[in-house]
Amino acid sequence: MDELHTIADFVRWAASRFNEAHLYFGHGTDNAVDEAVALVLQTLHLGQELPPLLWQGRLTYREKTQLLNQLQLRLEKRIPVPYLTQQAWFAQLPFYVDQRVLIPRSPIAELIEARYAPWLEIEQVNRVLDLCCGSGCIGIATAIKSFPEAEVDLVDISPDALAVAQKNIDEYQLNDKVHIVQSDLFTELAGIHYDLIVTNPPYVDAQALEEMPEEYHHEPVLGLAAGEDGLSFAHQILAQAKRHLTPHGILVVEVGASAPALIAAYPDLPFLWLEFARGGEGVFLLTYDQLPD
């Protein structure tokens, strides 16, 4: 530690150690340098971007000790950075996260930033459902960036996840329009209709779950596992969604790598597979009329 003095020193050293340890990057970054930048800057409460002058800022003994502890946890226990810093960025917004919820990483963020255009008009949307909400990032970002006048329900079966979602609602002061509901999918939503249902449910199949890098095993299996073919939740959502949509509403679902299995299971459904400029795949859109009755 005596040889490391500046922010730049710690970022360089951390990136070298991450590469040396062959860490897996998939929770907000895709390389050792970006991972090191995220861990160092967030631990030091310096945000996402740093003025050039500060890279040579010398750290205090306490800051060095804190950083080394964080780096040790990342290297030895393979804990993802957002769990170490309890912060993840989604749709250009920061969210609190811990090991009660998955780390936000859905490409749906791009759709939110585009206000779900061209499939919805802002004046059409009065009520939104974020199903299997986890941290609440999709629903909260939708409330902030897409439809600021809409009511948003965040639904999850896990009370632990909903506690995290409520913390994020409180942080953004959205209690007047964003609400949590504990429910097994649509079970507690009888008679409620939405103009938009958006969901990133569990979709990892049994083999993929077993083969996931160690970093993913810090996440709650409840948010990942979806049976042998990864479709156990997608089947239920497709069977029930129409009765909770308005006639002009849309359903947006992420199924990730389980997309081929879903297409094979529903050869007659006209899935629209969305494309994303920043990468990501396996997200489909269906309108009310396209959904099975």
Side-chain angles (χ1 to χ4, degrees):
M1 189 165 71
D2 290 341
E3 297 176 286
L4 303 175
H5 303 291
T6 69
I7 294 172
D9 288 343
F10 272 86
V11 168
R12 200 283 309 156
W13 186 83
S16 295
R17 300 292 75 73
F18 291 169
N19 280 327
E20 182 182 40
H22 302 290
L23 297 186
Y24 183 85
F25 310 112
H27 293 94
T29 69
D30 61 7
N31 63 83
V33 173
D34 288 346
E35 186 90 345
V37 169
L39 180 55
V40 171
L41 294 189
Q42 288 180 27
T43 299
L44 296 174
H45 307 288
L46 289 173
Q48 283 189 298
E49 297 182 2
L50 196 66
L53 179 65
L54 292 187
W55 283 104
Q56 298 307 317
R58 295 171 69 90
L59 303 181
T60 66
Y61 179 84
R62 180 181 177 185
E63 288 173 327
K64 290 181 183 182
T65 301
Q66 186 179 16
L67 273 174
L68 288 171
N69 288 339
Q70 294 280 67
L71 291 166
Q72 186 175 21
L73 289 170
R74 182 68 185 95
L75 286 163
E76 296 182 4
K77 296 192 174 181
R78 307 273 169 149
I79 299 173
V81 167
Y83 286 153
L84 295 174
T85 63
Q86 297 190 321
Q87 184 183 82
W89 285 81
F90 179 78
Q92 302 179 57
L93 297 168
F95 289 90
Y96 172 87
V97 295
D98 60 32
Q99 289 178 258
R100 293 174 289 178
V101 296
L102 296 188
I103 295 167
R105 51 186 176 271
S106 172
I108 291 172
E110 283 189 42
L111 196 58
I112 293 168
E113 292 164 15
R115 293 185 168 182
Y116 296 85
W119 299 281
L120 290 172
E121 299 289 341
I122 190 168
E123 62 272 9
Q124 289 180 307
V125 180
N126 297 305
R127 194 159 194 175
V128 174
L129 170 61
D130 176 3
L131 192 64
C132 306
C133 70
S135 66
C137 63
I138 289 177
I140 291 171
T142 296
I144 294 170
K145 296 206 161 197
S146 302
F147 308 116
E149 300 303 318
E151 296 286 316
V152 178
D153 288 339
L154 307 181
V155 170
D156 206 288
I157 194 172
S158 166
D160 285 341
L162 291 175
V164 174
Q166 184 62 59
K167 185 176 179 69
N168 284 313
I169 293 171
D170 294 342
E171 182 67 27
Y172 283 104
Q173 300 180 11
L174 291 172
N175 283 283
D176 59 332
K177 69 175 193 172
V178 180
H179 317 285
I180 63 170
V181 181
Q182 186 177 358
S183 178
D184 184 357
L185 296 179
F186 297 102
T187 303
E188 303 299 323
L189 304 177
I192 305 176
H193 297 86
Y194 299 92
D195 305 297
L196 166 64
I197 299 174
V198 57
T199 177
N200 181 10
Y203 59 72
V204 181
D205 65 49
Q207 181 178 348
L209 188 67
E210 185 176 340
E211 295 173 353
M212 278 183 146
E214 188 176 345
E215 279 81 354
Y216 289 97
H217 292 286
H218 290 280
E219 297 189 287
V221 68
L222 184 67
L224 295 168
E228 281 298 315
D229 61 0
L231 298 180
S232 58
F233 291 90
H235 289 313
Q236 297 177 69
I237 291 166
L238 285 171
Q240 301 172 39
K242 189 166 188 175
R243 71 190 70 163
H244 294 280
L245 271 179
T246 58
H248 63 264
I250 63 170
L251 170 70
V252 175
V253 183
E254 180 171 348
V255 293
S258 295
L262 187 71
I263 293 168
Y266 297 91
D268 298 325
L269 271 186
F271 296 111
L272 173 63
W273 295 98
L274 304 178
E275 297 182 359
F276 301 98
R278 299 198 295 265
E281 58 185 6
V283 178
F284 72 79
L285 184 151
L286 290 170
T287 66
Y288 174 89
D289 291 331
Q290 292 170 333
L291 282 163
D293 293 318

